Amino acid sequence: MSKQPLKIPVGLLIFSDLKCHGYWHSNIWESLPKQDKSERIDMLTAWIEGGYFQPPLHEVVTLEGADEEVTNIVKNTLKRIQEGKIGKKILLRWKFPEASLEDVGPN
């Protein structure tokens, strides 16, 4: 969403069989006329309302805290996967602390 490359440690891809899936929506979307965009949104909305899309079984793992805490959360999640204790997709959600205006301050 930030149009920046996603950095994934190679070790997780190789040794933990981590798989990442997605598609680049912005290039396709930006090239469509407004009418086509509207029709596609209407079609997707109808499919969702009709129950044609069913989300896969999943668990949301929230990554928050200091580096060490996040590392432990990831390690524990990978351990559960390796032990066969997770039979569903894992979605990682980054939770960033909210910064106050005092934290940001003028440059």
Side-chain angles (χ1 to χ4, degrees):
M1 297 200 359
S2 66
K3 299 193 180 195
Q4 297 296 316
L6 180 63
K7 296 177 183 175
I8 299 171
V10 176
L12 292 176
L13 296 169
I14 296 171
F15 301 111
S16 297
D17 198 26
L18 178 71
K19 294 178 179 74
C20 300
H21 300 271
Y23 69 100
W24 194 351
H25 180 78
S26 59
N27 278 356
I28 297 168
W29 193 253
E30 290 171 5
S31 67
L32 292 175
K34 188 174 183 178
Q35 179 64 32
D36 287 354
K37 290 178 184 179
S38 179
E39 289 172 2
R40 288 181 185 211
I41 289 173
D42 290 344
M43 181 176 58
L44 287 171
T45 302
W47 288 350
I48 292 168
E49 290 173 347
Y52 292 102
F53 287 132
Q54 297 297 321
L57 293 176
H58 65 279
E59 174 183 337
V60 178
V61 175
T62 302
L63 304 175
E64 63 181 320
D67 288 349
E68 188 175 315
E69 293 171 286
V70 171
T71 299
N72 287 334
I73 292 169
V74 171
K75 283 182 179 179
N76 290 335
T77 302
L78 289 173
K79 182 179 177 187
R80 289 174 47 218
I81 291 170
Q82 290 171 343
E83 293 172 349
K85 294 183 178 177
I86 297 179
K88 53 191 162 191
K89 295 187 179 291
I90 300 295
L91 305 176
L92 300 177
R93 186 182 120 213
W94 289 95
K95 185 173 181 184
F96 296 99
E98 294 185 28
S100 67
L101 290 177
E102 290 99 31
D103 294 338
V104 177
N107 289 335

